Amino acid sequence: MEAAAEPLRSVRLLSRVLLFLSQCYILSGDESQLFSHLTESTEIPPYMMKCPSNGLCSRLPADCIECATNVSCTYGKPVTFDCTVKPSVTCVDQDLKPQRNFIINMTCRFCWQLPETDYECSNSTTCMTVACPRQRYLANCTVRDHIHCLGNRTFLKLLYCNWTGGYKWSTALALSITLGGFGADRFYLGQWREGLGKLFSFGGLGIWTLIDVLLIGVGYVGPADGSLYI
């Protein structure tokens, strides 16, 4: 009897071990899911970096709110939109009471129609600012945080070349008047061949010097790299 009961005991012990291991596996899975849930719930949304806490809801940056906009409004006319703060954003009304829903007043226009002071654009240092016709480049523009408008807040726009290499118009003009006969103005602007030509011709016997004073004075002659004066 004892010899027959021994295999039964082994089977029972093995089943208990397997049951214990399966319970441990299930518990470990629940704990991992709970940990991941807590991690996700405590994760700070990226837009929170721009959203001040307990400020006026109507003055929150556009990235902190969601508005029910209507693109059929009349361009250039005042318009009112219903807005709601995004999750995790806290703000108050004029009476310092917590608020979730509010309205904002703005002018009906798309973001790309805003004045240049309301957005920032990338600069190009490859196009020539001194050219005829004036050269333009395709810039990537982003609306400033507290400006509200319709459509995408990031857009492309053709802008005239407006970068500078650090050359001063006053310095170039002063060199042209005082040392223009030796080509100092052309050397300063990075135009070495013209500078050497003026140097060895004594400013074109004075004629070239006078012409350069006029051309630099009116801004027709600029830096060799195509940038603007500062």
Side-chain angles (χ1 to χ4, degrees), residues 46-65:
Y47 56 79
M48 286 297 295
M49 300 298 294
K50 297 182 179 180
C51 306
S53 298
N54 299 321
L56 289 176
C57 294
S58 58
R59 296 187 178 179
L60 284 173
D63 291 337
C64 306
I65 62 178

Side-chain angles (χ1 to χ4, degrees), residues 48-108:
M48 286 297 295
M49 300 298 294
K50 297 182 179 180
C51 306
S53 298
N54 299 321
L56 289 176
C57 294
S58 58
R59 296 187 178 179
L60 284 173
D63 291 337
C64 306
I65 62 178
E66 294 179 347
C67 299
T69 57
N70 182 8
V71 296
S72 62
C73 56
T74 304
Y75 172 76
K77 298 294 184 180
V79 63
T80 300
F81 292 133
D82 295 325
C83 300
T84 305
V85 294
K86 290 184 177 180
S88 303
V89 178
T90 58
C91 60
V92 296
D93 57 12
Q94 296 291 343
D95 299 326
L96 302 181
K97 296 180 180 179
Q99 189 179 31
R100 298 291 300 174
N101 302 314
F102 58 98
I103 61 174
I104 61 169
N105 298 314
M106 55 178 285
T107 303
C108 178

Side-chain angles (χ1 to χ4, degrees), residues 172-193:
L173 183 60
L175 290 174
S176 184
I177 295 173
T178 58
L179 300 174
F182 301 99
D185 50 354
R186 294 284 185 164
F187 286 128
Y188 171 72
L189 296 175
Q191 302 175 6
W192 295 97
R193 287 178 295 183

Side-chain angles (χ1 to χ4, degrees), residues 131-206:
C132 186
R134 292 183 61 187
Q135 290 187 5
R136 297 198 292 181
Y137 68 100
L138 193 61
N140 188 28
C141 302
T142 303
V143 180
R144 300 185 187 276
D145 289 339
H146 292 80
I147 303 298
H148 299 282
C149 54
L150 300 174
N152 294 328
R153 298 184 61 81
T154 299
F155 52 92
L156 298 176
K157 196 164 188 177
L158 277 175
L159 299 177
Y160 287 106
C161 301
N162 61 351
W163 67 284
T164 177
Y167 295 94
K168 292 184 177 181
W169 172 82
S170 57
T171 301
L173 183 60
L175 290 174
S176 184
I177 295 173
T178 58
L179 300 174
F182 301 99
D185 50 354
R186 294 284 185 164
F187 286 128
Y188 171 72
L189 296 175
Q191 302 175 6
W192 295 97
R193 287 178 295 183
E194 291 82 352
L196 291 174
K198 291 183 70 174
L199 176 63
F200 291 112
S201 66
F202 300 103
L205 299 178

Side-chain angles (χ1 to χ4, degrees), residues 203-219:
L205 299 178
I207 299 176
W208 194 351
T209 302
L210 294 175
I211 294 176
D212 271 358
V213 170
L214 295 175
L215 295 179
I216 294 176
V218 299

